[in-house]
Amino acid sequence: MFVRPEGGHVRVLPWPSAAAAGFGLLDALGLLEPVRERLLAGELMHLTQALPVTTALLAGRREPLGKDNGKEMKP
């Protein structure tokens, strides 16, 4: 478990904020829509988040996005 300061509080994270879970896992766990809602509300993704992934999340896409090297781009 990891923690980070946030707005005068300490936020507990279940994994490192830079760790990535694919679209399929987020969807299977019922977390894709909550992540999308948080983005729509103005919350920012991690600094390493690729713009195409953020765009796909905002659009409600669930299919994986691939890199040129064949690896999945993850939120």
Side-chain angles (χ1 to χ4, degrees):
M1 208 175 294
F2 295 83
V3 297
R4 72 174 182 211
E6 187 172 288
H9 300 345
V10 175
R11 183 170 182 187
V12 178
L13 306 170
W15 58 73
S17 59
F23 281 83
L25 179 58
L26 286 176
D27 195 23
L29 294 173
L31 297 174
L32 194 63
E33 280 305 312
V35 168
R36 181 174 181 265
E37 290 170 8
R38 290 170 67 167
L39 277 172
L40 289 169
E43 188 166 334
L44 300 176
M45 296 296 286
H46 191 271
L47 297 174
T48 61
Q49 177 68 54
L51 182 58
V53 175
T54 302
T55 302
L57 284 167
L58 288 169
R61 292 179 52 189
R62 287 175 156 67
E63 64 275 2
L65 298 176
K67 295 180 183 179
D68 291 339
N69 64 6
K71 292 187 177 185
E72 182 182 355
M73 294 171 58
K74 298 180 181 181

